[in-house]
Amino acid sequence: MNADWVMVIITGIYVIATIFICLANIKAANASKEQLREMQKQFAETNRPVVELEFHYSRRTWYIARFVNRGNLSAQHVKINLDQEFIDSLPEESMRKELERIKGKECIIGAGQHYDLYIGSNKLRGNPNMKPLTGTIEYESQVKTYQSDLFVDLEHYMTFFSSTTDEEDLLKTMKKIGIKQILSAQSANEEDSE
């Protein structure tokens, strides 16, 4: 009978050890599931469109609100909703009409690409009635919707990127070449006349 009790005790120890092993395995499986969920979340955040707003001052004439997709996927069904108060504060009627015309319209911004909204010419600078650019931008990718609020006080905006076009650069080069040719032709004429 002594041997029977020893077997019962050993079996009991095995049962208790098995229960602890099962509990430890359940805990490890839950931790692995949580880690997998976190990795999937990080992957989704890394592989999605990210549309950001920046301002450009093009050709030393036009102020542009540029919506840049810095993400890895195209932004689908992009809707740029500017508040009416901002649109009404623009000094140029043609710009106000264009912003009114695009209300409710959608576009696509590919990865690494941008969409430009012209918001004014040099008349925009120093406009005392200018309201901050406010509104929202909404876009989708892979059945998920993203939305960001827009708020930029143009009066206190630190950086405007100024850019020239390829045509302007070509015109400058042509002018330089033309001046050099005129000077060398004039120099040749002076030598011939001596």
Side-chain angles (χ1 to χ4, degrees), residues 61-126:
T61 305
W62 300 106
Y63 287 92
I64 300 169
R66 176 168 286 174
F67 295 88
V68 182
N69 182 355
R70 300 198 189 288
N72 295 328
L73 296 175
S74 292
Q76 307 284 330
H77 305 288
V78 178
K79 294 178 192 169
I80 300 166
N81 307 308
L82 300 179
D83 288 342
Q84 192 63 44
E85 186 178 34
F86 167 74
I87 294 172
D88 291 342
S89 75
L90 295 175
E92 295 167 275
E93 185 179 346
S94 61
M95 297 297 166
R96 290 191 305 268
K97 282 183 179 179
E98 181 59 19
L99 293 176
E100 291 287 346
R101 185 187 70 75
I102 66 166
K103 271 188 177 178
K105 298 207 175 172
E106 295 181 357
C107 68
I108 296 171
I109 306 176
Q113 297 180 351
H114 63 269
Y115 178 77
D116 288 343
L117 275 182
Y118 287 80
I119 59 169
S121 67
N122 285 326
K123 293 178 183 178
L124 186 73
R125 186 182 302 179

Side-chain angles (χ1 to χ4, degrees), residues 153-166:
D153 187 352
L154 296 173
E155 189 175 319
H156 298 103
Y157 194 75
M158 293 290 288
T159 307
F160 278 96
F161 297 99
S162 180
S163 59
T164 58
T165 63
D166 293 336

Side-chain angles (χ1 to χ4, degrees), residues 31-53:
S32 293
K33 284 180 186 177
E34 183 60 35
Q35 186 178 16
L36 178 62
R37 276 194 292 271
E38 186 61 31
M39 288 171 60
Q40 288 172 331
K41 182 179 170 186
Q42 288 176 357
F43 181 81
E45 283 299 310
T46 302
N47 293 295
R48 74 175 193 93
V50 179
V51 180
E52 296 177 347
L53 173 63

Side-chain angles (χ1 to χ4, degrees), residues 137-153:
I137 182 165
E138 301 171 31
Y139 51 97
E140 296 176 14
S141 180
Q142 299 179 342
V143 201
K144 188 163 183 184
T145 302
Y146 303 93
Q147 180 176 341
S148 299
D149 291 330
L150 302 172
F151 180 87
V152 179
D153 187 352

